[in-house]
Amino acid sequence: MEFNATFLVSIISFVMFTWIMNMIFYKPIGSIISERQEFINETTKVAQDISNEADKITADKEDKLSKANENAKNLINSKVAEAKENAKIKTDEAKQESSSSIIKAKEELHSQAEQTKEILKGSVKNLAESISQKILGEDCKIESANDEIINKVIS
């Protein structure tokens, strides 16, 4: 193999071409690629951090919602129980009032019935005298009235 000057010029021109291409083309592309890879890595890390934070916020929100639902159910149940208790108390009071009113009304009716019987006892004698006067045509006075007979007639 022969080595002459063209071979040496070719080698020097190839080395110069490689060095120039490296300085002009490969180094800037390499730095752009490394910057881009660094940007992608940082963006991926930020996105992962944001995703983790979103998951935490979602879990916290779910926890707060479940606690709020539980508190709401407890509050509703306590208010329902309180309302039932109030209704029971008021119902019992109304029953007692109506029971006492019924007892008072019965007592009043009983006393009115007794008063009416007493009034009727006096009227029975007058009615008997009046009936006997109309039937017999003469004045008959009833001096003593048997209370047993009058009570049977009234009852």
Side-chain angles (χ1 to χ4, degrees):
M1 197 177 267
E2 257 184 68
F3 291 104
N4 58 14
T6 57
F7 180 70
L8 190 58
V9 171
S10 293
I11 288 177
I12 291 174
S13 69
F14 179 73
V15 169
M16 288 296 284
F17 175 75
T18 307
W19 181 75
I20 290 172
M21 287 300 285
N22 193 24
M23 294 303 275
I24 294 174
F25 185 68
Y26 294 124
K27 276 189 181 179
I29 288 178
S31 66
I32 289 172
I33 289 173
S34 67
E35 285 176 12
R36 182 175 278 169
Q37 187 63 39
E38 189 178 312
F39 174 76
I40 289 171
N41 291 340
E42 287 177 9
T43 306
T44 304
K45 185 180 181 223
V46 168
Q48 185 64 33
D49 291 343
I50 290 172
S51 176
N52 291 340
E53 188 175 335
D55 290 342
K56 287 179 186 176
I57 290 171
T58 302
D60 188 41
K61 178 188 80 167
E62 292 296 326
D63 186 43
K64 285 181 181 179
L65 279 175
S66 66
K67 286 181 181 178
N69 283 337
E70 184 178 329
N71 288 341
K73 285 179 184 178
N74 290 339
L75 180 64
I76 288 170
N77 289 338
S78 67
K79 291 299 179 180
V80 166
E82 185 179 323
K84 285 181 180 179
E85 185 65 29
N86 286 341
K88 183 181 178 192
I89 290 171
K90 289 188 180 195
T91 303
D92 290 344
E93 288 175 358
K95 283 180 183 179
Q96 288 176 351
E97 281 183 27
S98 65
S99 177
S100 65
S101 295
I102 289 171
I103 290 172
K104 285 181 184 178
K106 283 181 180 180
E107 289 174 355
E108 188 176 317
L109 286 174
H110 184 67
S111 72
Q112 286 178 357
E114 290 298 320
Q115 288 175 355
T116 306
K117 282 182 184 179
E118 291 300 319
I119 292 171
L120 284 176
K121 281 182 186 179
S123 297
V124 167
K125 182 179 171 189
N126 292 338
L127 284 173
E129 287 177 354
S130 173
I131 291 172
S132 58
Q133 179 183 6
K134 287 185 180 180
I135 292 176
L136 297 175
E138 49 184 68
D139 220 1
C140 295
K141 293 285 182 193
I142 300 174
E143 298 298 327
S144 65
N146 190 349
D147 285 336
E148 270 184 41
I149 296 172
I150 294 174
N151 285 337
K152 283 183 183 179
V153 170
I154 292 176
S155 296

